[in-house]
Amino acid sequence: MSSSKNNPQSKTILVTGATSGIGKATARYFAKKGYNVIITGRRKDKLEEIKKTMENKYGSPILAMCFDVCDFEEAQAALNSLTDGWEKIDILVNNAGGARGMDPIQGGQLEHWNYMIDTNIKGVLHMARLIAPQMAERGKGHIINICSTAGHEVYPNGAVYCASKHAVDALTKGMRHDLFRMGVRVSQISPGMVEDTEFAINRFEGDEERAKIYEDITPLNARDVAELIFFVATRPRHVNIQDILVMSTQQASSTNVDRTGRKYE
Ligand code: 8X3
């Protein structure tokens, strides 16, 4: 763990999967707005680099914690080690997640399935189990899950990814049922295609040719989603945005995409 002094006047946000894409853009956005930001991820060097850059640029306190959300004990040990005000978390953004492979169910790879189930479902569960109790006790707090259009639709060769994101949708709803009477808000953002993330390159395991899925449309970018997360987190206490389903102007559904060129640069 590497820490900076927590500012007790500011709220604290914890963002999982903050080493790239939506997580990194969200951490940056909230740092710019003066929040105490806890960035978590599996890549220590990346976390340290992001922490340093954001602290220099925005002057906000950033704490970097390296752990894998799939490993409950590891996540628990990291959270138990928090001190000096950092242990009080106001906003949890469950962003860590991703896809592996695009195969029909009859040809799916078990390690892809395990990755998606472990990260997208268990990761969200682990973080909620560790942080929701303190929010419930305080009668205050906000959990924002990053779902996907794949949590609302199912497309060919994406059964397990879509199932994992449907699970996130169900968990968001279920957590809300459990926490709303205690004043804890639970929201989700469900983005369609988003570039400047590692989503496609990870899905296709480094195959740059296959990962070129954004070249002929103007998709969302990570900052678009970060802005929505900030909007959701900054509504008055009596307002809880339950879900934001958001796609690029050139996308109407998971499979209906206008690929006639990048139109809105
Ligand atoms: C990412 C959106 O359409 O690639 O969650 O499944 S999609």
Side-chain angles (χ1 to χ4, degrees):
M1 181 168 73
S2 121
S3 94
S4 301
K5 216 171 154 23
N6 179 286
N7 175 2
Q9 309 304 324
S10 300
K11 284 190 175 172
T12 299
I13 180 170
L14 184 150
V15 184
T16 66
T19 50
S20 66
I22 294 170
K24 185 173 163 186
T26 303
R28 191 189 296 134
Y29 203 89
F30 280 79
K32 200 171 167 185
K33 299 285 183 183
Y35 283 67
N36 299 306
V37 183
I38 304 175
I39 52 174
T40 84
R42 288 173 303 167
R43 290 174 287 183
K44 198 170 185 331
D45 50 337
K46 279 230 167 210
L47 284 170
E48 288 303 329
E49 182 194 314
I50 292 166
K51 169 182 154 68
K52 215 160 117 192
T53 313
M54 290 198 312
E55 275 179 344
N56 288 343
K57 197 154 179 202
Y58 306 120
S60 295
I62 314 288
L63 185 143
M65 284 204 300
C66 187
F67 65 87
D68 184 350
V69 291
C70 301
D71 185 331
F72 184 78
E73 268 85 43
E74 206 181 291
Q76 187 175 42
L79 288 163
N80 283 346
S81 72
L82 292 172
T83 54
D84 302 324
W86 286 103
E87 64 276 23
K88 178 181 159 288
I89 294 158
D90 299 287
I91 305 163
L92 162 64
V93 178
N94 270 321
N95 163 72
R100 284 290 182 282
M102 274 199 91
D103 298 298
I105 202 73
Q106 63 275 24
Q109 297 184 36
L110 282 179
E111 78 243 37
H112 289 162
W113 296 358
N114 287 333
Y115 170 83
M116 292 186 278
I117 290 166
D118 286 348
T119 315
N120 300 351
I121 305 176
K122 289 192 202 163
V124 168
L125 280 173
H126 291 163
M127 295 308 290
R129 182 63 187 86
L130 289 167
I131 295 174
Q134 57 157 283
M135 292 180 170
E137 200 178 314
R138 285 200 305 273
K140 217 174 171 186
H142 202 158
I143 298 174
I144 304 174
N145 294 329
I146 305 307
C147 187
S148 166
T149 44
H152 299 271
E153 300 176 33
V154 179
Y155 52 81
N157 302 322
V160 179
Y161 179 65
C162 293
S164 73
K165 287 298 186 177
H166 275 66
V168 173
D169 183 53
L171 286 174
T172 299
K173 290 171 180 155
M175 287 182 202
R176 193 158 50 235
H177 282 298
D178 294 339
L179 292 165
F180 84 105
R181 288 184 200 282
M182 292 145 198
V184 178
R185 292 185 278 185
V186 184
S187 307
Q188 82 182 8
I189 316 280
S190 301
M193 298 169 77
V194 186
E195 72 176 343
D196 57 52
T197 71
E198 293 176 357
F199 179 84
I201 198 77
N202 284 338
R203 169 168 246 176
F204 298 113
E205 297 170 290
D207 184 334
E208 290 181 11
E209 277 312 302
R210 286 190 80 196
K212 285 182 183 164
I213 58 173
Y214 308 121
E215 291 203 324
D216 46 7
I217 72 158
T218 309
L220 301 172
N221 58 56
R223 192 196 148 100
D224 294 326
V225 182
E227 282 177 1
L228 291 173
I229 295 170
F230 187 77
F231 181 78
V232 167
T234 52
R235 291 313 83 211
R237 284 263 341 256
H238 68 286
V239 178
N240 180 37
I241 295 176
Q242 300 204 348
D243 192 4
I244 295 182
L245 180 59
V246 55
M247 296 182 212
S248 131
T249 306
Q250 286 182 265
Q251 184 176 12
S253 73
S254 295
T255 49
N256 195 10
V257 180
D258 171 11
R259 291 194 178 277
T260 54
R262 294 181 75 113
K263 290 189 177 162
Y264 307 104
E265 300 282 6

